Amino acid sequence: MKATLLRTNLNLGLSTVGRVVATRGQLPVLANVLVEASKQGVVLSATNLEIGLRVQIGGKVIEEGAITIPAKNLGEFVNATDAESVELTVEGDKLKIKAGKSGAVFTGISASEFPVFAKATEGQALKIKKEIVREIAREIAYAAAADESRPVLTGVRFSVFGDQLVVVATDGFRLSRKTIADSRFKIADPIILPARTIQELARIVGESNEGEVEMATIAENNQVIFACDGVEIVSRVLEGNFPDVDKIIPSQFKTEVVIERVELERSLRQAGIFARENSNIVKFIVHSSRFIVKAQAAQLGENESEIEIEKEGEDGEIAFNYRFVLDFLASVTGERIVLKINDSLSPGVWMEEKNKNLIHLIMPVRV
């Protein structure tokens, strides 16, 4: 292999694929980046076996070939040079780099040991607006579990009902569900994708100039491919029984309040000083037109804030992990928030006042 490419393009490509390099993988090759040179240019690939990234960076290819090189070391070297262009030459298991007056030789691993990436069939892709991708990442993906003990809960489920796409994530203590009206979605069966896939995709589309993302499912590999502006994400589809969240969400409520988002966030941050000393528990009390946010800690003391609200229904009280509520507030942009509750032992439902397509449910804490 022999190719010449712009250092800025190589540097950007390495930083992009470097986000999914497996630093503690069982296979040494997973710590490497695959460098491929063909008639179409140079392509960089990396994977942790859950998510794979493939980036087209162009360049002038003199001789085709491929090799894998430790991603961290290669990235640091390229970033440390100031040459305008970089020349890559492969000889056996060595990659020679020439960048201006600097040079280096890296020992690599054969490209044949790198996991094979699935490729989409021409005309198979479905187009998604990148605004939808960003919304799903911001409003839904954070509610997925970080704990790998139940892998299916680390994912985001996509289902189609008629002309609506329903996207859900839950970690067992909270859930977010978003309904999107778009008849272009044609998913025969629900699919569950790792939340990290959605977050990485949102980061990539945020750096892209294109307005849409292409999505293709590869049934035989149990994978999904997203493509945007020369970057491809290849993600495995999670398997398992996803909770029937519709049965968890109450259909009726005894109490409904409307709260100013900024005021609620301010009160929660104050309460959090005390709540973090007491398992993050914050009590919410609805009394007449007042909303009381209360936290206490045996060693530290207590805090109480009062917010004016609009209320329908009965007075009531409930306790939540305040960090879950802050996560929800950070995921939305509306000026006013709605909280619906029944009693202290039933889940509470949060949403924006002017957006009925997104709901966030949080399980209460016994006090």
Side-chain angles (χ1 to χ4, degrees):
M1 181 186 98
K2 188 170 184 179
T4 303
L5 51 157
L6 294 175
R7 183 191 66 85
T8 53
N9 290 350
L10 177 58
N11 198 31
L12 179 60
L14 288 170
S15 65
T16 298
V17 299
R19 295 200 289 256
V20 299
V21 169
T23 55
R24 298 179 183 177
Q26 295 180 347
L27 300 174
V29 75
L30 296 182
N32 288 12
V33 57
L34 173 64
V35 184
E36 297 176 284
S38 67
K39 294 178 181 179
Q40 287 72 41
V42 176
V43 175
L44 304 179
S45 303
T47 183
N48 56 19
L49 296 183
E50 180 179 74
I51 307 172
L53 277 174
R54 185 163 46 206
V55 182
Q56 179 87 34
I57 58 173
K60 180 182 179 182
V61 176
I62 301 167
E63 183 179 332
E64 297 182 6
I67 193 171
T68 77
I69 300 295
K72 184 175 183 292
N73 298 333
L74 179 59
E76 287 179 347
F77 178 80
V78 173
N79 190 50
T81 67
D82 60 357
E84 184 176 339
S85 63
V86 178
E87 184 179 286
L88 307 178
T89 305
V90 172
E91 294 181 1
D93 64 350
K94 308 286 186 183
L95 174 67
K96 293 184 177 181
I97 301 180
K98 185 177 181 182
K101 295 181 180 180
S102 301
V105 178
F106 288 97
T107 301
I109 299 175
S110 171
S112 62
E113 295 190 32
F114 195 82
V116 177
F117 272 34
K119 293 187 178 181
T121 304
E122 190 72 26
Q124 186 183 30
L126 168 74
K127 293 188 176 181
I128 307 170
K129 293 179 181 178
K130 66 180 185 181
E131 288 79 7
I132 291 177
V133 172
R134 287 200 293 259
E135 287 176 5
I136 293 172
R138 186 183 72 245
E139 299 171 350
I140 304 296
Y142 74 93
D147 184 359
E148 296 281 349
S149 60
R150 290 185 64 188
V152 72
L153 294 187
T154 65
V156 177
R157 188 189 68 182
F158 295 77
S159 308
V160 172
F161 299 94
D163 62 351
Q164 291 187 325
L165 174 70
V166 180
V167 189
V168 183
T170 180
D171 61 5
F173 301 99
R174 57 181 171 177
L175 72 86
S176 280
R177 186 186 72 184
K178 184 178 181 68
T179 303
I180 303 165
D182 194 328
S183 60
R184 293 183 301 172
F185 290 103
K186 304 295 182 185
I187 303 173
D189 299 306
I191 61 171
I192 306 168
L193 300 179
R196 188 180 172 191
T197 297
I198 306 303
Q199 291 161 342
E200 285 294 341
L201 181 60
R203 186 179 291 115
I204 287 169
V205 302
E207 300 167 354
S208 168
N209 294 321
E210 293 188 3
E212 293 183 316
V213 178
E214 292 188 346
M215 171 184 168
T217 56
I218 313 297
E220 58 269 26
N221 294 66
N222 202 30
Q223 292 179 324
V224 171
I225 301 177
F226 295 97
C228 181
D229 206 12
V231 180
E232 287 186 350
I233 294 183
V234 181
S235 172
R236 70 184 178 100
V237 176
L238 298 176
E239 297 180 338
N241 295 319
F242 199 85
D244 188 350
V245 297
D246 292 329
K247 292 183 178 179
I248 304 170
I249 302 170
S251 57
Q252 294 181 324
F253 299 91
K254 295 178 180 178
T255 307
E256 181 175 329
V257 299
V258 181
I259 318 165
E260 294 289 334
R261 180 174 59 86
V262 173
E263 287 191 45
L264 178 58
E265 185 173 353
R266 185 185 299 116
S267 296
L268 276 174
R269 295 197 181 281
Q270 294 172 2
I273 298 170
F274 301 85
R276 62 193 179 209
E277 303 294 329
N278 185 27
S279 303
N280 295 329
I281 298 173
V282 170
K283 184 180 288 187
F284 300 85
I285 302 169
V286 180
H287 182 68
S288 188
S289 62
R290 296 181 300 155
F291 190 76
I292 299 167
V293 180
K294 189 174 183 179
Q296 58 185 23
Q299 301 296 323
L300 187 59
E302 61 183 36
N303 161 260
E304 184 176 304
S305 300
E306 189 175 298
I307 305 171
E308 290 291 324
I309 58 170
E310 295 176 13
K311 185 193 81 169
E312 290 184 11
E314 306 172 6
D315 289 348
E317 64 178 61
I318 194 168
F320 295 118
N321 181 325
Y322 85 99
R323 292 188 180 276
F324 290 169
V325 183
L326 280 178
D327 285 346
F328 165 72
L329 295 178
S331 74
V332 296
T333 58
E335 294 181 0
R336 306 210 317 165
I337 300 301
V338 177
L339 169 62
K340 301 179 180 182
I341 62 174
N342 282 310
D343 54 59
S344 61
L345 300 180
S346 301
V349 168
W350 300 80
M351 61 179 61
E352 294 177 286
E353 183 185 32
K354 296 182 178 180
N355 181 9
K356 307 304 181 184
N357 295 323
L358 171 69
I359 70 166
H360 185 73
L361 178 147
I362 302 179
M363 299 302 293
V365 180
R366 289 178 179 265
V367 178

